Every structure is written in C-alpha cells, then in structure tokens.
Amino acid sequence: YGDRLAATPSWVASRKGRSHHPVARKPSLARAVSASYRVAFGARTAEVHESVLVPLTQLEKYFGFYRDALRDGDRMCLYGLLAADCATVPPVVRAEVNAFFADQERWLARLLTAGRRDGVFRFEGSANIEARALLAGLEGGMLMARSRRDVNGLTPVVQRLVANLTR
C-alpha cells in the first residue's frame, strides 16, 4: 500500500511537467499509476474480507493498512494526497480518486451492515454515511498525523472511530 507512493512520479499531482514525457501522455500515465494502486488496495480489502470472518477484526485490519503506511517510511494514502490537491490533477485522475473512495465506502458499508446485523457495530442511520464518515476520519487522521511527523498519531483516531461503533 504505502510503497506505491514511493514509485509515483513526482509530477503526477501537478499540471506542470517535470519529466521528459510528453505532456499529452502525463494524464494517462498518472491515471495508470493511480489505477494500479486502486487495484492493489482492492485486492488487500478482498483478502481481508475472504480470510477474516469477524467484522470488528476486518475493520481493525483495514485500519492497519493506514497505520502501517505511516509507520513504514512516513507514507500517505495516494488518494488522500491526490484528493487534497484535486484542483490540480487531470480529470482522469480525479475520476480515479473518486472511484477509489467509492470502492472504499462500498466495502466499509458492507462491513458495517454485517457488523450491525451481528450486533458488533452500533450506529444510527445509513451504513453508507457511516462508511463515508469512517473513511473521512481515517484519511484526515492520517494527514494530520503525518503533518505532525507523529507516526503514532493515527492510533488514537482509529481507537475513537472503533469505540464509536462498538459502544
């Protein structure tokens, strides 16, 4: 997960090219890099879904992807970074960012629905809205922890997100 960012060309989130590639090819290359990241992340969530039966453990493993990225070389979620700079990324990349977040929200909503059905999670309203709030808290917590150079700063955010679901 975190290693994808290291392989991302420095100009991916910029309109001004800093490489030898023709400008017309940059959006398609940036989209290909981000799409590859999205597929790899999707494979990891699918693996969690298939190998772990307990919804709370699935959620903890999912949150672990984000914590591990910070701890492993101070990395961020590629899509969190691209979303923060969405005004400067090409439309094809912005579409990929939105597709990633939609994928994550769907995955989390299914997990939350199963957890509520099993009596593990408690929340009011739509699982879709709860999933969006969880993802926003997670991405925002990661961004704040990284800005403070605090690799453990995401942990209390994750603990609060889980506590809110399990009380």
Side-chain angles (χ1 to χ4, degrees), residues 34-51:
S34 60
S36 171
Y37 182 94
R38 181 174 154 219
V39 168
F41 199 91
R44 291 186 75 188
T45 58
E47 181 182 324
V48 167
H49 179 74
E50 293 167 9
S51 66

Side-chain angles (χ1 to χ4, degrees), residues 34 39 59 67 75 86 117 138:
S34 60
V39 168
L59 186 62
R67 277 194 308 258
R75 299 176 199 268
C86 71
R117 182 191 62 234
L138 189 57

Side-chain angles (χ1 to χ4, degrees), residues 16-63:
K16 296 180 182 177
R18 294 182 201 123
S19 79
H20 64 279
H21 295 286
V23 173
R25 291 182 48 171
K26 288 181 186 176
S28 61
L29 180 57
R31 185 196 166 283
V33 169
S34 60
S36 171
Y37 182 94
R38 181 174 154 219
V39 168
F41 199 91
R44 291 186 75 188
T45 58
E47 181 182 324
V48 167
H49 179 74
E50 293 167 9
S51 66
V52 179
L53 299 178
V54 179
L56 181 57
T57 305
Q58 286 182 0
L59 186 62
E60 289 169 347
K61 284 193 173 289
Y62 181 81
F63 286 163

